[in-house]
Amino acid sequence: MPATPFERAISLDAADPLAVYRERFVGSLASSTEPVLAYLDGNSLGRPLKSTAARLAAFVTDSWGDRLIRGWDEEWLQLPTTIGDELARATLGAAPGQTLIGDSTTVLLYKVIRAALDARPGRTEIIVDSDNFPTDRYLVEGIAAERALTVRWVETSRRSGLTADLLAAALSEQTAVVVASHVAYRSGYLADVPALTRLAHDAGALIVWDLCHSAGSVETRLDDWGVDLAVGCTYKYLNGGPGSPAFAYVRRDLLGELRQPIWGWLGHADPFAMGPGYTPAPGIRSFQSGTPPVIGMLAMRDMIALIGEVGVEAVRAKSVALTSFTIELADEVLAPYGVEVASPRASAERGSHVTLDHPDFREIVAELWRGGVVPDFRAPEGLRVGLSPLSTSFTEVAVGIAAVRDALERRAA
Amino acid sequence: MPATPFERAISLDAADPLAVYRERFVGSLASSTEPVLAYLDGNSLGRPLKSTAARLAAFVTDSWGDRLIRGWDEEWLQLPTTIGDELARATLGAAPGQTLIGDSTTVLLYKVIRAALDARPGRTEIIVDSDNFPTDRYLVEGIAAERALTVRWVETSRRSGLTADLLAAALSEQTAVVVASHVAYRSGYLADVPALTRLAHDAGALIVWDLCHSAGSVETRLDDWGVDLAVGCTYKYLNGGPGSPAFAYVRRDLLGELRQPIWGWLGHADPFAMGPGYTPAPGIRSFQSGTPPVIGMLAMRDMIALIGEVGVEAVRAKSVALTSFTIELADEVLAPYGVEVASPRASAERGSHVTLDHPDFREIVAELWRGGVVPDFRAPEGLRVGLSPLSTSFTEVAVGIAAVRDALERRAA
């Protein structure tokens, strides 16, 4: 008799070399009045590491409370680039001096897109795909409106993403900037960053990569891939906490050329001279505007360090194993109820989440949450199974799929 | 024999009805390897409240760690306006629904200035004064450059600020927007907000008030004063911690009219529909762009609650007493060494810090820091004594002034 989903999950967990790291995250069974049996939304908000609560409390008392204003000179002013470099080394594949922590993803995308446009004067089009994340689309709309540019929409399927063929057909000598996601937020489609970057460059355009849904779970080699600009989120697979600041990468040789539009004191070459006239700082610091959000950027350090310790290749391997197991169970257990896999079946084309489609999933996700199984829902009918590799077990996947099956079964009965 | 400065300070502390609140702040004598005897820079970075370390640690474990993604729907998505309204009630003098927490001061200023300019099409000038805070000046420069507008600089003295006469002389039918600070960051000059706002309105312009150096220490009645737009900082007198998010106020009747340029998903009327096309949210939420910086906005709640408990009139009364005592001691103890008071002598024209000028102050401030007396330095020769009313004692002022005198005495010897 073949092994049941739960038996296979238990075997996979037992053989998982990364299983030992799960205990470093704040669990919920002991502390919660409403236990989370299966947390399948670490792609939206990663669990905190256990070390994070103490890190924040110690910061308040020992750093902020004790060093007071002196903390800025002693450490905090450097944190956006210190942590940026830690992130670059642990998971982005970027040499130091090109990565900055700050603002939100939306604000950093605004800055880098505006800067990229200024570097391609005379060109009239911004390319973005119809299934890119909402903030990317809305931003591009707003920037195009203010600059009298045209948005060239690439129609992408919500079950796939921006392929090289689709991009090639949209590019022209009018393309100033392409805005694309490394991992599509609905399908989980993993774009071929080096290929698409080359296509954009061949057309004389710059490309801005949104790494929100990949950073920390997918191997990324920004320097090797010739990426121009990238922005990403730190509260998903980087476990920085709700609304933690974003990061931006600007390739070294573009740093002298690009200029972002929000001129603030901490992007100035000599902020504390407080003199007349804005002179941008050299290097990545020119992409700073206001005072760095220090408290907000502390939590991610724990996860960045852990990813560095484990190695991003091992993280990616577990991610592939988790998404593959999810698809295997969906085919076996949920397909009979009409559930379809809406994510790429080839693991090389897939990030760290799997979306399953069914017309009843909006209601079913709400039911699942009440029962302690927490994936999320994305319109029109997608149940997203997010698989944060270091904090998620194969057993959680099996619990989640079984709960979905039970919900579908109740409807069929 | 008249009482010495220390004797007077001790009497003032003994009679201070707000002295009892000092023990609620993280002190430094017990925990520090380098004790701060006199912290006179709460205008740059307020001390943490003792409750804040526990608040942050509990958030990580009980809210983020336990509620996980469900926390957004249950509480966090509302926090920018919930805390905004708490702030509005405690100290801004604003009715609910007009105040938002998020981004940095610089980014929020960028948004409101851009929105204000769009509401005054055809007008060609932005007015800002030459001694306004650097970020305000740099931002205005950058915005004027991108919009082909003219910056009309008002020359203000670094010992005073933007008076009604100076503004009246600069305003014209070409003025689109005025950017002004409520309290000047160097002199501490307290602008007459209602009078300057009326002048701007009489010229058909909008006025953006920077409340960074006043919020939490000076009575403010934004609604009564007819203020259009205001932005301020939460890590000074609101004790939100290094780089905590800023706040923006947009007067209710402008909310339907003004549109900010950074279109992100959380400024959308229906963010989780994730549909095509940007439709701004109704109300103050349209000034949001990215995901709210939740962890960063927690600490300020402790101080906002405390100001609400004490009452901003009482806070302002202690602020005036502290700045008055500082000036009294400077005249008595430091003037013989050539120190000049560079702040307004009339308390009605003064915020909560006092700047003292002397050519040796750059070096002396560095010496003072090493000795545990922590004011700050502002070029060209200003020693800034910041007096955060709820956490600063009159004795700290006396200690600080005595330390300055000793440093000057050593030089004279």
Side-chain angles (χ1 to χ4, degrees):
Chain A
M1 205 168 76
T4 68
F6 277 100
E7 287 165 353
R8 275 136 62 199
I10 289 165
S11 296
L12 286 163
D13 279 327
D16 172 17
L18 274 47
V20 63
Y21 297 107
R22 288 191 62 234
E23 70 178 18
R24 298 211 198 167
F25 295 85
V26 174
S28 52
L29 292 177
S31 66
S32 177
T33 52
E34 189 180 328
V36 172
L37 299 174
Y39 187 54
L40 302 170
D41 210 11
N43 59 319
S44 270
L45 178 68
R47 283 184 189 277
L49 281 151
K50 287 179 181 164
S51 49
T52 299
R55 177 191 282 274
L56 292 185
F59 178 84
V60 172
T61 306
D62 303 338
S63 187
W64 169 15
D66 187 68
R67 305 314 300 153
L68 294 161
I69 196 70
R70 302 168 295 186
W72 284 113
D73 289 343
E74 293 168 353
E75 182 185 16
W76 307 333
L77 280 173
Q78 302 306 319
L79 279 183
T81 49
T82 300
I83 303 179
D85 286 343
E86 290 169 2
L87 174 67
R89 184 169 54 247
T91 179
L92 298 183
Q98 306 171 103
T99 307
L100 180 78
I101 310 291
D103 297 317
S104 64
T105 301
T106 305
V107 168
L108 283 181
L109 277 171
Y110 181 83
K111 290 184 189 179
V112 303
I113 295 170
R114 284 281 314 268
L117 286 172
D118 284 346
R120 290 296 179 272
R123 292 182 169 229
T124 58
E125 293 187 354
I126 310 176
I127 292 178
V128 64
D129 70 275
S130 60
D131 209 56
N132 205 337
F133 190 77
T135 256
D136 304 65
R137 291 186 272 116
Y138 302 152
L139 258 181
V140 165
E141 256 191 87
I143 292 172
E146 80 178 63
R147 304 289 288 250
L149 299 172
T150 301
V151 182
R152 188 169 171 113
W153 293 99
V154 177
E155 290 298 321
T156 39
S157 156
R158 67 181 166 82
R159 294 190 175 183
S160 176
L162 188 62
T163 61
D165 286 350
L166 287 171
L167 180 60
L171 284 161
S172 75
E173 72 284 356
Q174 285 310 316
T175 312
V177 175
V178 179
V179 178
S181 281
H182 188 190
V183 169
Y185 81 105
R186 284 208 282 199
S187 67
Y189 176 82
L190 181 65
D192 185 343
V193 176
L196 271 61
T197 300
R198 275 194 303 274
L199 284 172
H201 291 175
D202 290 347
L206 290 166
I207 185 163
V208 175
W209 282 102
D210 179 335
L211 308 181
C212 285
H213 293 80
S214 66
S217 68
V218 174
E219 280 188 84
T220 306
R221 302 206 306 274
L222 298 184
D223 286 350
D224 290 348
W225 292 346
V227 164
D228 301 313
L229 298 148
V231 169
C233 167
T234 66
Y235 51 79
K236 298 178 185 292
Y237 301 108
L238 296 170
N239 304 57
S244 57
F247 67 87
Y249 164 91
V250 182
R251 198 179 66 231
R252 189 179 308 282
D253 61 289
L254 291 173
L255 280 169
E257 181 188 353
L258 297 189
R259 192 159 184 184
Q260 59 90 4
I262 307 181
W263 300 1
W265 70 315
L266 286 180
H268 193 283
D270 189 1
F272 294 95
M274 300 189 168
Y278 183 73
T279 307
I284 188 68
R285 214 164 54 69
S286 67
F287 278 77
Q288 261 186 182
S289 299
T291 306
V294 172
I295 292 187
M297 68 177 71
L298 298 173
M300 68 181 79
R301 291 189 99 168
D302 289 319
M303 188 63 173
I304 291 170
L306 179 57
I307 292 171
E309 180 184 340
V310 175
V312 72
E313 297 85 355
V315 170
R316 170 67 176 159
K318 179 164 179 196
S319 163
V320 168
L322 284 163
T323 55
S324 299
F325 186 55
T326 303
I327 291 173
E328 177 187 316
L329 293 191
D331 286 341
E332 181 180 321
V333 177
L334 303 181
Y337 298 91
V339 171
E340 295 178 18
V341 173
S343 296
R345 288 181 172 275
S347 65
E349 291 179 6
R350 197 170 65 221
S352 202
H353 68 271
V354 171
T355 297
L356 306 173
D357 274 355
H358 188 281
D360 293 342
F361 274 162
R362 185 186 293 270
E363 287 169 29
I364 285 177
V365 167
E367 288 172 32
L368 294 175
W369 279 32
R370 289 193 290 273
V373 172
V374 181
D376 67 16
F377 176 76
R378 286 294 174 259
E381 56 173 23
L383 181 151
R384 243 183 5 170
V385 183
L387 298 151
S388 188
L390 291 170
S391 61
T392 309
S393 66
F394 293 89
T395 300
E396 278 176 290
V397 173
V399 167
I401 297 292
V404 175
R405 185 207 53 219
D406 291 350
L408 290 162
E409 182 64 33
R410 280 194 298 275
R411 280 174 165 66
Chain B
M1 205 166 78
T4 68
F6 278 99
E7 287 165 352
R8 275 138 59 200
I10 289 166
S11 297
L12 286 163
D13 280 326
D16 172 18
L18 273 47
V20 64
Y21 296 106
R22 288 192 62 233
E23 70 177 17
R24 298 212 197 168
F25 295 85
V26 175
S28 53
L29 291 176
S31 67
S32 178
T33 52
E34 190 180 326
V36 172
L37 299 174
Y39 186 53
L40 303 169
D41 209 11
N43 58 319
S44 271
L45 178 68
R47 283 184 189 276
L49 280 150
K50 286 177 180 166
S51 49
T52 298
R55 177 191 281 275
L56 292 184
F59 177 83
V60 172
T61 305
D62 303 338
S63 187
W64 170 15
D66 186 68
R67 305 314 302 154
L68 295 161
I69 196 70
R70 301 168 294 185
W72 284 114
D73 289 342
E74 293 168 352
E75 181 183 16
W76 309 332
L77 279 173
Q78 303 307 321
L79 278 182
T81 48
T82 301
I83 303 179
D85 286 343
E86 289 170 2
L87 174 66
R89 185 171 52 245
T91 177
L92 298 183
Q98 306 171 102
T99 308
L100 181 78
I101 310 291
D103 296 317
S104 64
T105 302
T106 304
V107 168
L108 283 181
L109 278 171
Y110 181 82
K111 291 185 190 179
V112 304
I113 295 170
R114 284 281 312 271
L117 286 172
D118 284 345
R120 290 295 179 273
R123 293 183 168 228
T124 59
E125 293 187 354
I126 310 176
I127 292 178
V128 63
D129 70 276
S130 60
D131 209 56
N132 205 337
F133 190 77
T135 255
D136 304 63
R137 291 186 274 115
Y138 302 153
L139 258 181
V140 166
E141 255 191 88
I143 292 171
E146 80 178 61
R147 304 290 290 249
L149 300 171
T150 301
V151 182
R152 186 167 175 116
W153 293 101
V154 176
E155 290 298 322
T156 38
S157 156
R158 68 179 166 84
R159 294 190 175 183
S160 176
L162 186 62
T163 61
D165 286 350
L166 287 170
L167 180 60
L171 284 161
S172 76
E173 74 285 354
Q174 285 310 315
T175 310
V177 175
V178 178
V179 178
S181 282
H182 189 189
V183 169
Y185 81 104
R186 285 208 284 200
S187 67
Y189 177 81
L190 181 65
D192 185 342
V193 176
L196 273 62
T197 299
R198 273 194 304 273
L199 283 172
H201 290 176
D202 290 347
L206 289 167
I207 186 162
V208 175
W209 283 102
D210 178 337
L211 307 181
C212 284
H213 293 82
S214 67
S217 68
V218 173
E219 281 188 85
T220 306
R221 301 206 306 273
L222 298 184
D223 286 348
D224 291 347
W225 292 346
V227 164
D228 301 311
L229 298 148
V231 169
C233 168
T234 66
Y235 50 79
K236 299 178 185 291
Y237 300 110
L238 296 170
N239 304 56
S244 57
F247 67 87
Y249 164 91
V250 180
R251 197 179 66 230
R252 190 179 307 281
D253 61 289
L254 292 173
L255 280 169
E257 179 187 354
L258 297 189
R259 194 159 183 181
Q260 60 89 6
I262 306 180
W263 300 2
W265 71 316
L266 285 181
H268 193 284
D270 189 2
F272 293 95
M274 300 190 168
Y278 182 73
T279 307
I284 188 69
R285 214 165 54 69
S286 67
F287 278 78
Q288 261 185 182
S289 300
T291 306
V294 172
I295 291 188
M297 67 177 70
L298 297 174
M300 69 181 77
R301 290 188 99 168
D302 289 320
M303 189 62 172
I304 291 170
L306 180 57
I307 292 171
E309 180 185 339
V310 175
V312 71
E313 299 83 356
V315 171
R316 170 66 177 159
K318 180 164 177 193
S319 163
V320 167
L322 283 163
T323 55
S324 298
F325 186 55
T326 303
I327 291 174
E328 176 187 315
L329 292 192
D331 285 342
E332 180 180 321
V333 178
L334 303 181
Y337 297 90
V339 171
E340 295 179 18
V341 173
S343 295
R345 288 181 171 274
S347 64
E349 292 179 5
R350 198 168 65 222
S352 201
H353 69 269
V354 171
T355 298
L356 306 174
D357 275 355
H358 188 280
D360 293 341
F361 274 161
R362 186 185 293 269
E363 288 170 29
I364 285 176
V365 168
E367 288 173 32
L368 294 176
W369 279 31
R370 289 192 290 274
V373 172
V374 182
D376 67 15
F377 176 76
R378 286 294 175 257
E381 56 172 23
L383 181 152
R384 235 177 18 162
V385 183
L387 299 151
S388 188
L390 291 171
S391 62
T392 310
S393 66
F394 293 89
T395 300
E396 278 177 289
V397 173
V399 168
I401 296 292
V404 175
R405 183 205 56 216
D406 290 350
L408 290 162
E409 182 65 35
R410 282 194 297 275
R411 279 173 166 66

